[in-house]
Amino acid sequence: GAGEYGALLLLKDDDGDPAGSFGRLGVALKAKLSNTEVKVGEWMPNFPIVTADDFRALPQTFRGAQIASQELKNWSFYAGEFTKTSLRNDSSMEDLSFGSAQSDSFKFLGADYRSSSKNTTVRLWSGELEDIYKQHYLGLIQKWQLSQTVSLTSNLGYFWGKDAGAAKAGPLDNQTASALFSLNIAQHSISIGLQNVSGDTGWMRIGGTGGIYLANNTFNHAFDNPRERSWQVRYDLNFVGYGIPGLSFMTRYVHGDNVE
């Protein structure tokens, strides 16, 4: 029906009805020397400062170029630029956007450190949507193995950013703190999420992208409005312990308030 595209599920034809069929072929070319890889083309990035959204039938993709290096033990370094994106209800490539402002360049740098034990991960990322905003991210994931079947995990993240260049979207100022603490007992996991958005504007992201690096992000809301505070209680169950690998269950309650 004509109402279905309101959920960004289907592409619209010129007459306003959902398209009878649509699709897209995306290709990425890669070259690798030692532990350094160069990639050019179209793909789905999954970085703290830009995450392609795959919550619909056709996932969002980006076009650009990237270099990733793991020449140093325990370290991964990234640098690149995206110039176009195809949204989840679009089969063409469009400029990058933030609200009504548009840009043809998002440059990024990133560095990840992962300890040899794989229990500690530190992430430092920075990106700029040209003439719109600059954003930075510092993250820490720490796991404590308390016994053979019990562990505690903390996932902490802090974003901060401001308007950049010509400031096409106007003055921007945001700081977002995110924390998710999880107690894992065999195949059970109980988590508490805390999130606070400060500054004059909400959390900044390229149009159409996901917010999976925020503790309280859900399928239809990221609790990322200006001044919003939120908390979450969550329970996960992995059925692999009951002989059904691949099946999982999750339920959660998230509450937000103080939105401006």
Side-chain angles (χ1 to χ4, degrees):
E4 296 301 321
Y5 61 72
L8 299 180
L9 178 63
L10 299 174
L11 178 70
K12 286 191 294 184
D13 275 337
D14 292 338
D15 60 6
D17 287 333
S21 63
F22 63 97
R24 182 178 65 258
L25 174 65
V27 177
L29 303 177
K30 298 189 289 185
K32 189 173 184 179
L33 177 63
S34 183
N35 289 318
T36 298
E37 179 185 84
V38 176
K39 181 160 54 175
V40 179
E42 181 181 349
W43 71 92
M44 299 172 61
N46 182 356
F47 301 141
I49 53 176
V50 55
T51 306
D53 191 313
D54 64 349
F55 287 170
R56 295 292 186 269
L58 188 66
Q60 181 186 24
T61 60
F62 284 78
R63 179 183 294 164
Q66 168 190 303
I67 182 170
S69 177
Q70 296 179 328
E71 301 292 344
L72 295 181
K73 183 181 178 181
N74 300 334
W75 285 91
S76 299
F77 298 96
Y78 303 84
E81 179 182 19
F82 294 118
T83 57
K84 296 286 184 180
T85 186
S86 184
L87 300 176
R88 55 196 185 186
N89 64 333
D90 194 344
S91 60
S92 63
M93 281 287 171
E94 310 291 345
D95 282 342
L96 311 175
S97 66
F98 179 76
S100 60
Q102 293 188 330
S103 174
D104 60 4
S105 173
F106 179 78
K107 297 182 177 69
F108 62 89
L109 294 170
D112 294 344
Y113 170 81
R114 192 177 188 187
S115 65
S116 299
S117 67
K118 299 183 180 180
N119 288 334
T120 302
T121 301
V122 181
R123 312 192 74 179
L124 180 60
W125 285 75
S126 181
E128 179 177 356
L129 186 58
E130 188 174 17
D131 287 329
I132 298 179
Y133 72 75
K134 288 183 179 179
Q135 187 183 52
H136 315 284
Y137 171 81
L138 177 62
L140 171 65
I141 302 173
Q142 180 66 52
K143 180 179 179 181
W144 295 272
Q145 194 69 44
L146 305 181
S147 70
Q148 186 173 356
T149 59
V150 180
S151 65
L152 181 65
T153 303
S154 66
N155 190 337
L156 311 178
Y158 184 71
F159 294 87
W160 69 100
K162 294 183 69 68
D163 53 274
K168 294 179 180 179
L172 300 173
D173 175 45
N174 173 261
Q175 300 86 42
T176 298
S178 168
L180 185 67
F181 303 96
S182 301
L183 176 64
N184 312 294
I185 305 173
Q187 58 267 17
H188 306 273
S189 180
I190 300 172
S191 303
I192 295 176
L194 302 171
Q195 191 171 298
N196 183 72
V197 183
S198 57
D200 297 327
T201 51
W203 184 61
M204 295 176 285
R205 63 168 118 179
I206 297 173
T209 58
I212 62 174
Y213 285 86
L214 296 180
N216 292 342
N217 177 72
T218 67
F219 285 106
N220 59 358
H221 187 50
F223 295 86
D224 58 352
N225 294 298
R227 308 288 181 181
E228 185 166 17
R229 304 173 303 192
S230 58
W231 57 270
Q232 170 187 181
V233 177
R234 170 172 173 165
Y235 169 73
D236 290 80
L237 173 62
N238 189 336
F239 281 85
V240 67
Y242 297 99
I244 315 177
L247 179 64
S248 61
F249 170 82
M250 182 272 286
T251 183
R252 61 184 163 193
Y253 175 81
V254 192
H255 175 83
D257 59 20
N258 201 49
V259 175
E260 287 188 6

